Amino acid sequence: MFRDDFVWGVASSAYQVEGTDPVNVRGKCIWDTFSEENPINTKGGNGLVACDHMHRYKEDFAMMKELGIKAYRFSVNWCRIIPDGVGEVSEEGVAFYRDLILSMKENGITPYLTLYHWDLPQALEDKGGWVNPEIVDWFGNYARVIAERFSDLVEYFFTINEPQCVIGLGYVVGVHAPGKKLGYKETTLASVNLLKAHGTAVLALRRYSVRPVKIGYAPTCTIPIPASDSPEDIEAAKKKYFSITKNTWDWAWTVAWFSDPVLLGKFPEDSLELFRGEMPEITEDDLKLMHQPIDFLGQNIYNGYYIKAGENGEPVDVMKYPGYQETGVHWPIMEECLYWGARFAYERYKLPIFITENGMACHDAISLDGKVHDPNRVDFLDRYLSALQQAVDDGVDVRGYFLWSVMDNFEWDQGYHGRFGIVYTDFVTLKRIPKDSAYWYKEIMESNGAKLAVNNGLWVRSARWHQEESSNLCKSK
Ligand code: FCB
């Protein structure tokens, strides 16, 4: 069972929900540019209006209260606080977020603030963005402002959301802002800058906050799932989870590259080997900076793939079964990823874990009865949360879960086409309609998970795999 003080929450990010205001103007960020330059980049969507949360947060928090939500992972848009990324602080921007946080708290919702969820000020991108080593100081300065202006109201912070996407999708393959396709030299440098920026932010948050604060980091990954419970398959999946491959698409999509320096104070051996001659010089002081003590690991987990032990125990991919279930954005549905993702991360890093994001995009629509029925999402969440509870039952220290997302919002390169919310957003009228899953999640939160399938004999870990295996639907590649 989950701990009595388990944190049940929901998540979102600034750019995806806030929208803009003609008077309370913020600085331009890379997603404004990316969506303007070529609307195809974001399927015609942009952050101009989004959910208009910046004008509706009071109603939104009142609705969240009704839905039993007590914790909210949200982010601050860097260029709303410091429009050019460095220099003058926008007092209007600070006042906006202070009021937003106060309103959240008035509704009994605890804030979990992420400093960076991808809205890099364009002015900094113009100077090279994450590739410019000066970003370490730029980000440290921003973290100081966050600490000074918000730590009286906020106790929990996350530094950077999904470094894999920041560097991999933004600078390696270019499907996210700023849409660059750079080589290994520049992108390993950008990664090192990001890791140092994280460390600098931790130092600034501790130093300038008005009280002791708790800090985490929120990386992501696709999880290798052992194809069976044999120790060999488990070992092979674990090996895969922490390994790195020199492949344009894949290399930045790794766990150890972005988490080992932060949590173990060193880069994984295989990465040093792989990027020999292409990585920037890294000193002992750099490693020390990256390795600032943090209080918990945030981990965003959505899906995975099967791995078995091949000859010599080396990881070998195993095909998914034909017609496997997938979400509205074609991500495979594999709840075991929450079990193995949490377990592997805990075994290696030994820090309490928050699942900082997990959820599902569906092709939701308003039915004739005026409601939004999303049985697929309820089923998804029941399976994933059951798997998470199983990890807890097996000794993994999981402290909380933030469902992505509180409401449908701007889904980056998918524009408005990936509906991840448990609340439906009508993007024409901006009306919110809680989906069936929101009411279901309320009951789960209230019962601290007692109503989950795993506690009612309806879900057993790996049941699906073995079932498929026995009917011989899964074949080795
Ligand atoms: C994650 C992002 C989040 C959202 C979800 C669906 O990678 O952190 O902003 O887009 O995926």
Side-chain angles (χ1 to χ4, degrees):
M1 293 296 290
F2 293 106
R3 318 159 45 105
D4 289 344
D5 60 354
F6 191 79
V7 177
W8 295 95
V10 292
S12 80
S13 87
Y15 193 83
Q16 292 178 275
V17 297
E18 280 177 7
T20 51
D21 183 277
V23 178
N24 188 349
V25 184
R26 63 160 168 76
K28 189 168 185 168
C29 80
I30 53 175
W31 279 93
D32 296 319
T33 313
F34 192 60
S35 50
E36 249 168 53
E37 267 175 6
N38 187 351
I40 291 173
N41 288 338
T42 50
K43 292 197 174 158
N46 58 47
L48 279 179
V49 177
C51 304
D52 195 33
H53 180 63
M54 81 170 288
H55 298 113
R56 295 165 195 249
Y57 56 86
K58 293 206 161 95
E59 296 94 302
D60 285 340
F61 294 139
M63 172 186 72
M64 283 161 66
K65 182 181 182 185
E66 285 286 299
L67 294 173
I69 292 162
K70 298 204 170 60
Y72 182 37
R73 175 177 174 245
F74 71 109
S75 77
V76 165
N77 187 331
W78 188 342
C79 33
R80 211 181 270 296
I81 298 290
I82 310 175
D84 290 330
V86 282
E88 210 178 318
V89 171
S90 159
E91 292 305 328
E92 272 183 319
V94 170
F96 163 71
Y97 282 116
R98 285 193 65 84
D99 194 56
L100 179 135
I101 297 165
L102 280 169
S103 155
M104 202 183 298
K105 293 175 74 143
E106 276 160 18
N107 284 285
I109 303 168
T110 306
Y112 287 74
L113 187 160
T114 303
L115 273 71
Y116 186 73
H117 201 124
W118 307 355
D119 22 33
L120 184 72
Q122 184 59 42
L124 298 185
E125 180 53 35
D126 294 343
K127 297 180 190 162
W130 287 101
V131 185
N132 187 335
E134 286 179 59
I135 197 156
V136 179
D137 291 337
W138 300 336
F139 194 61
N141 172 63
Y142 166 56
R144 175 182 178 159
V145 175
I146 293 285
E148 287 174 344
R149 303 305 191 95
F150 301 110
S151 61
D152 59 327
L153 301 177
V154 181
E155 190 184 352
Y156 301 95
F157 295 90
F158 292 98
T159 54
I160 297 176
N161 182 68
E162 298 193 350
Q164 288 85 355
C165 295
V166 175
I167 306 299
L169 301 185
Y171 292 84
V172 178
V173 289
V175 296
H176 275 192
K180 295 200 167 149
K181 293 186 181 141
L182 306 177
Y184 291 117
K185 274 205 163 151
E186 284 158 305
T187 47
T188 55
L189 171 63
S191 308
V192 167
N193 293 340
L194 180 146
L195 290 160
K196 286 163 70 176
H198 157 85
T200 308
V202 175
L203 283 172
L205 286 169
R206 298 235 191 266
R207 175 149 181 217
Y208 298 107
S209 288
V210 297
R211 58 167 164 173
V213 292
K214 303 226 165 45
I215 307 174
Y217 174 53
T220 189
C221 179
T222 310
I223 312 294
I225 299 166
S228 80
D229 276 351
S230 77
E232 294 77 20
D233 285 353
I234 293 176
E235 213 34 56
K238 193 169 176 175
K239 185 167 183 189
K240 179 81 181 178
Y241 191 36
F242 297 108
S243 67
I244 183 164
T245 331
K246 197 169 183 179
N247 160 317
T248 314
W249 169 262
D250 260 2
W251 83 262
W253 200 258
T254 56
V255 171
W257 172 259
F258 288 109
S259 289
D260 280 15
V262 168
L263 301 162
L264 305 178
K266 56 182 186 197
F267 278 89
E269 282 303 320
D270 55 352
S271 68
L272 297 175
E273 196 50 47
L274 223 51
F275 297 124
R276 192 176 296 283
E278 287 172 306
M279 275 178 76
E281 197 203 329
I282 298 162
T283 64
E284 281 303 311
D285 282 350
D286 292 339
L287 289 174
K288 215 168 131 196
L289 178 59
M290 296 171 189
H291 186 39
Q292 292 308 311
I294 54 176
D295 302 285
F296 39 78
L297 172 63
Q299 193 67 49
N300 295 358
I301 298 180
Y302 287 92
N303 59 61
Y305 53 99
Y306 293 117
I307 286 290
K308 70 173 187 180
E311 282 181 28
N312 310 323
E314 285 307 302
V316 175
D317 284 305
V318 175
M319 258 190 355
K320 293 182 195 66
Y321 56 94
Y324 63 85
Q325 262 188 292
E326 55 178 17
T327 71
V329 290
H330 304 295
W331 296 356
I333 298 181
M334 309 174 84
E335 66 263 28
E336 305 97 306
C337 67
L338 220 40
Y339 176 87
W340 291 106
R343 181 168 149 180
F344 288 156
Y346 185 61
E347 283 172 0
R348 187 173 179 99
Y349 301 122
K350 301 177 179 63
L351 260 195
I353 293 178
F354 275 88
I355 301 301
T356 26
E357 284 182 27
N358 170 250
M360 176 192 188
C362 293
H363 298 298
D364 299 311
I366 307 174
S367 291
L368 286 173
D369 63 4
K371 298 183 178 160
V372 181
H373 305 293
D374 56 346
N376 289 350
R377 183 175 285 103
V378 169
D379 189 73
F380 172 104
L381 293 171
D382 206 351
R383 289 174 184 279
Y384 273 68
L385 283 164
S386 288
L388 185 65
Q389 189 196 300
Q390 187 97 84
V392 169
D393 293 344
D394 287 355
V396 180
D397 185 359
V398 186
R399 303 288 172 96
Y401 172 89
F402 293 94
L403 199 167
W404 186 275
S405 178
V406 60
M407 63 182 100
D408 299 335
N409 55 48
F410 173 73
E411 182 45 35
W412 311 114
D413 54 325
Q414 302 296 315
Y416 288 98
H417 295 281
R419 290 187 177 273
F420 275 88
I422 52 170
V423 172
Y424 184 89
T425 309
D426 180 329
F427 291 111
V428 179
T429 62
L430 294 169
K431 188 172 168 202
R432 278 75 157 132
I433 305 174
K435 303 177 190 176
D436 290 353
S437 57
Y439 300 110
W440 174 87
Y441 190 48
K442 182 172 193 236
E443 289 192 7
I444 296 299
M445 293 189 283
E446 278 167 5
S447 69
N448 200 27
K451 294 199 171 163
L452 289 170
V454 68
N455 297 319
N456 296 289
L458 289 173
W459 186 88
V460 184
R461 188 178 65 75
S462 284
R464 300 169 83 209
W465 167 259
H466 292 303
Q467 190 187 327
E468 277 119 30
E469 190 181 42
S470 59
S471 61
N472 202 23
L473 284 173
C474 293
K475 297 216 171 27
S476 249
K477 250 189 203 166

